Amino acid sequence: QQQVKQSPQSLIVQKGGIPIINCAYENTAFDYFPWYQQFPGKGPALLIAIRPDVSEKKEGRFTISFNKSAKQFSLHIMDSQPGDSATYFCAASIGTDKLIFGTGTRLQVFP
Amino acid sequence: KAGVTQTPRYLIKTRGQQVTLSCSPISGHRSVSWYQQTPGQGLQFLFEYFSETQRNKGNFPGRFSGRQFSNSRSEMNVSTLELGDSALYLCASSLNPGGTGNTIYFGEGSWLTVV
């Protein structure tokens, strides 16, 4: 019940494409759902986060869609750029800083 | 404003030795948490501390321990190192755990290699 399942494992898109990464959870007590971006050799950096009372949140080219009834949330990257090539992690937590991470999606954006 | 600072960045230890990793949170942050990242297991939660008290502990053996000091700095210790402990150890900090709008910031990590 503490798992967060993330897919796909890897994703290849062309510049300008809209990669979509999906995550699913079981524990309905989760109340915070962040997405992190990680470049090789660096720590994860927060991209965007959402709480379950909101169905969509946009920050720049990044959008989270949240479906509470389906217990799923996804990250959309609009107008993707080669500089977006990185590993993306979804996560979930319940009122603390204990984050349960998905397994990660390696995104490659080709020019 | 300085970010989360972890030291050392890289270290190599021998099986059976012990290691201590340090973390300085962002100024004003009182919550510090630790994660282990490996290619096989991904990102796994180790501990969370708030005001010197351990709030949560992950599913790791007792060889892994941590503590937080009154200035919010934190250390984690791994005793009797095993080859499988080779990983990137990440520290994170936040201002208001569980609070609306709270953001958890990660450091660059400490790369531990056990030989």
Side-chain angles (χ1 to χ4, degrees):
Chain A
Q1 267 220 328
Q2 285 290 318
Q3 279 188 320
V4 176
K5 294 183 181 178
Q6 182 171 348
S7 63
Q9 192 172 5
S10 63
L11 198 47
I12 299 174
V13 299
Q14 279 203 305
K15 178 182 171 182
I18 305 175
I20 300 172
I21 305 170
N22 300 298
C23 284
Y25 63 97
E26 286 297 321
N27 191 344
T28 55
F30 284 138
D31 61 3
Y32 178 67
F33 301 89
W35 284 90
Y36 283 86
Q37 178 190 57
Q38 187 177 30
F39 293 104
K42 300 289 187 182
L46 179 70
L47 269 179
I48 185 172
I50 199 167
R51 298 208 177 254
D53 52 347
V54 177
S55 60
E56 186 176 275
K57 184 175 181 180
K58 290 183 182 180
E59 283 189 8
R61 295 184 293 108
F62 301 95
T63 299
I64 297 180
S65 297
F66 189 85
N67 186 330
K68 191 173 179 178
S69 60
K71 292 184 281 188
Q72 295 175 348
F73 58 110
S74 59
L75 176 70
H76 302 232
I77 305 176
M78 306 301 177
D79 187 28
S80 58
Q81 302 296 313
D84 295 330
S85 298
T87 301
Y88 293 80
F89 293 92
C90 63
S93 70
I94 310 169
T96 71
D97 282 359
K98 178 183 177 181
L99 292 169
I100 308 298
F101 280 93
T103 49
T105 297
R106 188 181 173 202
L107 172 66
Q108 293 175 274
V109 182
F110 286 97
Chain B
K1 197 173 186 181
V4 178
T5 305
Q6 293 187 245
T7 56
R9 289 295 320 280
Y10 305 92
L11 65 165
I12 300 174
K13 291 285 187 177
T14 304
R15 268 184 304 174
Q17 285 187 313
Q18 67 95 25
V19 66
T20 299
L21 308 177
S22 295
C23 173
S24 293
I26 292 172
S27 178
H29 285 192
R30 288 162 51 193
S31 175
V32 172
S33 48
W34 289 88
Y35 294 81
Q36 182 197 63
Q37 186 172 24
T38 59
Q41 299 298 317
L43 279 154
Q44 292 190 287
F45 170 80
L46 279 157
F47 333 93
E48 178 191 1
Y49 290 91
F50 184 79
S51 294
E52 301 179 69
T53 301
Q54 188 179 89
R55 293 183 71 185
N56 278 298
K57 188 178 190 306
N59 190 24
F60 280 82
R63 301 184 297 107
F64 291 80
S65 62
R67 58 179 177 168
Q68 186 181 32
F69 302 98
S70 58
N71 61 359
S72 294
R73 261 191 63 246
S74 178
E75 288 181 349
M76 67 162 284
N77 185 77
V78 188
S79 62
T80 320
L81 283 165
E82 301 176 359
L83 294 178
D85 297 333
S86 295
L88 176 64
Y89 290 88
L90 291 159
C91 175
S93 76
S94 78
L95 182 65
N96 182 22
T100 302
N102 187 54
T103 299
I104 302 167
Y105 297 91
F106 282 82
E108 301 278 85
S110 292
W111 289 91
L112 170 65
T113 301
V114 182
V115 297

